[in-house]
Amino acid sequence: MTFLRRFARNRGALIGLLVLALIVAAAVAAPVLYPTSPWRMVSRPFMAPFALERFPLGTDALGRDVAAGLMHGARVSLLIGFVSTLVALLIGVPLGAVAGYFGGIVDDLCMRFTELFQTVPSFALAIVIVAILQPSITSIVLAIALVSWPPVTRLVRGEVLSLRSRDYVQAAITVGQRTPRIIFGQVLPNTVAPIIVMASLMIASAILLESSLSFLGLGDPNLMTWGYMVGAGRTRLIEAWWISFFPGLAIFLAVLALNLVGEGLSDALNPRLAREAR
Amino acid sequence: MLRFLASRLAKGVVVLLAIAVLNFALIRAAPGDPATVMAGEAGAADEVFVQQLRERFGLDRPMVEQLGIYLKGILTLDLGFSYRQGRSVASLVGERLPATLLLTGSAFAISLLLGTALGALAARRAGTWADTAITTAALLFYATPLFWIALMSQILFSLKLGLVPNVGYETIGAGYTGLARVLDILHHLILPALTLGLFFTALYARMMRASMLETAGSDYVRTARAKGVSPSVVTRRHVARNAILPVVTLAGLQAGQIVGGAILTETVFAWPGIGRLMFEALAQRDYQVLLGVFFVSSAMVVLFNLVTDLVYRAVDPRIQVGG
């Protein structure tokens, strides 16, 4: 209860949560409100927004409905954001736990490996991975996950390192609990709070990364995405600004909402730190 | 100092070698025959060329031997050959590199200077309207997709208002020389560098503000105040100088992001750097060029990290980085 109350006191976080709920609603409602494919040409091209009730956000260069694209795009953005973050956590958490728990040479090896991935320009690596594996939802998720796990590893390692010397962990070692059970049963549950905070921020950057890839033409060719829409409207920017403007705004709102929620979670889960930062 | 530089350079070389191995692994992760992948798709490869590639990379020999051949190539700055462009990747990248260094360097400098200055201002005026304005703006820009803000500022500042050139690096055909040319390039640089720097300005401003507020609460700052040091000196010497350290660390870690952002910025503004080269190679699926740009941009990050390490030492002489 105290957690909920602390979260609710943060006005930004509440606004973020509201915006996020609207985007989720759009994603859920997309197949109901726009049952036909967002790729279908439904009207004359270059219809201005707010002119016709049927096409509130106008149409693009091929006469496709921008509003339909936005709502279907929300599905892709959220899906890729969540799944790639999950995959990144699956790589980052175990590696960080092993590094922090065992220490010594294992730690050294894990951290050098992590540093290497942190040095590499992540966007360039993501481009190369998607281009080589061919753009598809799987290769995009894989690429985003492969460039986003290092901060997770560093975070988990740091937490585990400090938890390892706690009395209850030492007690578990003394009574002879097996190592995997100690790591998963005693240590990792206590790192959940910071991981949740980081995950919400990671979803935001995954959405940014996915839209940047689609913008460059590396999106899944079967899926309508926000990044693709911005990129497709690029060449007709002067006559038809709305084709690029609205999808970009959608990305911005989604990322902002997730950042706000992440900050709210961080403050609510860690009230001591929150007070210090003010 | 020399020993420090040498140890940093050695570390950089190790990282680059590891990246070369990663590159090697990537090209072999592709489905199908690596030789055809290297030659590029869309019928660019003829059988003779593919056979040449097989021989050159020893694709019929064991994997370890192949890796050896590949690494030897990297050491002699051989980044492969772009069949589509009919030139070596090294020469293509070398030609485009200065433009990217100029763009990323300016964006890096702008964001670090502006970000720390704004963050410090927000912290000093914590709770006032100036703080609220800076914090809110930072929050908003932090969430803005780079390619979108680049497009939108392109419409607004160059196409509608005509303040700065639309695309490119310099006025083609103007034949400027000397100072006029430098000014012309700078005029073209303003918009790309500002849009690329904006996200990082927001990031550093947030970081600097938090860091300043944290440092301001420490004991030595209270001591300095108590012994009567003037407030402006306390802020400058005691607070800001210590608060900037984590920001510089972060900036070093973020160097890869700036290089990545340059790919998007250069694509939008047709800035003739390696990012634009990557975009062009993408359309043609020219994997040799893609991997070449990836390797060189990684090398740039290693360089940026070296520079931030040096800055770090200059800002805080107590720290013996890496010894």
Side-chain angles (χ1 to χ4, degrees):
Chain A
M1 194 57 217
T2 46
F3 162 74
L4 278 181
R5 206 176 298 149
R6 276 200 300 265
F7 186 83
R9 216 185 295 147
N10 186 331
R11 207 180 307 147
L14 281 183
I15 296 173
L17 202 60
L18 186 72
V19 174
L20 199 61
L22 286 176
I23 296 170
V24 172
V28 173
V32 182
L33 285 175
Y34 295 97
T36 51
S37 160
W39 296 93
R40 239 189 67 189
M41 298 162 206
V42 288
S43 171
R44 278 186 298 119
F46 299 122
M47 298 247 292
F50 316 119
L52 269 186
E53 217 169 278
R54 213 158 81 77
F55 306 112
L57 300 181
T59 58
D60 72 359
L62 294 173
R64 297 177 296 211
D65 189 349
V66 173
L70 275 192
M71 293 188 67
H72 281 271
R75 299 169 74 83
V76 183
S77 284
L78 290 179
L79 179 76
I80 292 187
F82 274 101
V83 178
S84 56
T85 299
L86 200 65
V87 177
L89 290 180
L90 285 178
I91 306 173
V93 172
L95 197 63
V98 166
Y101 189 83
F102 292 106
I105 188 146
V106 178
D107 183 27
D108 265 355
L109 281 176
C110 289
M111 290 332 279
R112 289 297 93 77
F113 187 67
T114 311
E115 269 172 26
L116 173 67
F117 269 84
Q118 224 165 14
T119 308
V120 166
S122 53
F123 186 50
L125 178 59
I127 289 178
V128 171
I129 294 175
V130 175
I132 286 184
L133 296 180
Q134 304 308 327
S136 71
I137 203 156
T138 322
S139 68
I140 293 167
V141 164
L142 190 71
I144 296 177
L146 279 178
V147 300
S148 347
W149 61 267
V152 182
T153 302
R154 295 182 76 101
L155 174 83
V156 173
R157 172 189 175 264
E159 294 284 318
V160 171
L161 211 57
S162 78
L163 288 173
R164 201 196 180 293
S165 54
R166 297 284 174 85
D167 288 342
Y168 66 88
V169 178
Q170 293 304 318
I173 296 174
T174 314
V175 298
Q177 266 193 11
R178 300 220 341 266
T179 311
R181 198 167 155 207
I182 298 176
I183 293 181
F184 287 102
Q186 311 284 354
V187 180
L188 279 182
N190 287 298
T191 63
V192 167
I195 291 176
I196 288 177
V197 172
M198 183 173 256
S200 65
L201 301 176
M202 279 168 71
I203 298 173
S205 44
I207 289 178
L208 267 184
L209 205 55
E210 184 278 327
S211 63
S212 307
L213 287 169
S214 305
F215 172 76
L216 291 180
L218 285 177
D220 187 319
N222 302 311
L223 297 172
M224 180 64 88
T225 65
W226 292 341
Y228 166 80
M229 292 170 78
V230 176
R234 232 185 101 196
T235 45
R236 312 302 288 266
L237 215 50
I238 310 170
E239 312 93 292
W241 53 270
W242 60 89
I243 304 175
S244 292
F245 178 79
F246 290 119
L249 193 66
I251 302 168
F252 165 72
L253 287 176
V255 174
L256 182 65
L258 281 160
N259 282 339
L260 286 172
V261 170
E263 267 179 31
L265 284 175
S266 167
D267 288 359
L269 290 169
N270 215 336
R272 195 182 56 83
L273 270 181
R275 225 172 297 128
E276 273 175 12
R278 287 254 155 76
Chain B
M1 191 65 196
L2 268 178
R3 255 186 62 191
F4 163 74
L5 253 181
S7 83
R8 283 285 120 158
L9 278 176
K11 198 182 159 203
V13 170
V14 172
V15 170
L16 284 181
L17 271 178
I19 290 165
V21 174
L22 184 68
N23 247 351
F24 176 83
L26 275 171
I27 197 85
R28 269 148 194 85
D33 178 3
T36 18
V37 174
M38 274 188 248
E41 279 188 3
D46 57 41
E47 201 39 54
V48 181
F49 179 64
V50 172
Q51 193 51 43
Q52 273 175 8
L53 276 177
R54 275 200 199 100
E55 273 160 31
R56 189 160 142 221
F57 289 93
L59 291 177
D60 39 2
R61 275 177 268 174
M63 206 56 119
V64 183
E65 208 172 317
Q66 289 181 33
L67 180 64
I69 297 172
Y70 181 77
L71 289 182
K72 223 164 90 188
I74 292 275
L75 284 179
T76 54
L77 289 181
D78 177 4
L79 297 172
F81 189 83
S82 166
Y83 187 66
R84 303 207 65 124
Q85 310 240 21
R87 293 174 59 188
S88 77
V89 175
S91 75
L92 278 169
V93 172
E95 190 180 278
R96 303 286 196 102
L97 196 57
T100 298
L101 285 175
L102 180 64
L103 176 64
T104 48
S106 324
F108 191 63
I110 290 172
S111 54
L112 201 52
L113 291 177
L114 204 62
T116 48
L118 287 175
L121 182 71
R124 244 189 5 231
R125 306 265 159 82
T128 66
W129 65 268
D131 178 30
T132 314
I134 292 172
T135 317
T136 313
L139 187 70
L140 296 182
F141 283 125
Y142 186 65
T144 314
L146 178 58
F147 56 92
W148 184 66
I149 198 89
L151 281 176
M152 293 304 134
S153 48
Q154 197 178 31
I155 305 188
L156 186 63
F157 296 111
S158 69
L159 299 176
K160 296 273 184 222
L161 299 177
L163 293 176
V164 283
N166 177 9
V167 289
Y169 177 75
E170 56 189 325
T171 316
I172 294 166
Y176 290 127
T177 49
L179 186 64
R181 181 162 182 239
V182 172
L183 287 177
D184 184 43
I185 292 176
L186 283 181
H187 194 205
H188 281 80
L189 176 66
I190 296 173
L191 204 50
L194 279 180
T195 41
L196 178 55
L198 211 52
F199 171 84
F200 301 97
T201 308
L203 184 68
Y204 303 151
R206 283 158 62 104
M207 185 87 188
M208 184 67 181
R209 178 179 180 276
S211 180
M212 284 275 284
L213 289 180
E214 200 186 316
T215 316
S218 50
D219 289 340
Y220 62 85
V221 172
R222 194 175 311 142
T223 311
R225 286 216 181 92
K227 73 180 185 190
V229 179
S230 82
S232 70
V233 173
V234 171
T235 311
R236 231 177 322 123
R237 288 232 189 106
H238 296 78
V239 181
R241 206 164 165 179
N242 284 295
I244 208 166
L245 292 173
V247 184
V248 174
T249 311
L250 182 78
L253 283 173
Q254 295 284 332
Q257 301 266 43
I258 289 207
V259 175
I263 299 170
L264 293 167
T265 320
E266 289 180 6
T267 301
V268 171
F269 291 103
W271 186 261
I274 57 172
R276 179 81 190 175
L277 180 67
M278 195 171 205
F279 178 66
E280 290 157 6
L282 212 50
Q284 305 167 330
R285 289 291 190 270
D286 194 338
Y287 295 108
Q288 291 284 56
V289 173
L290 281 183
L291 288 172
V293 172
F294 174 58
F295 183 77
V296 173
S297 53
S298 307
M300 275 175 65
V301 175
V302 173
L303 185 75
F304 267 115
N305 284 341
L306 191 71
V307 172
T308 34
D309 274 351
L310 291 177
V311 171
Y312 209 98
R313 262 174 80 105
V315 177
D316 189 353
R318 283 173 314 186
I319 292 167
Q320 297 291 315
V321 191

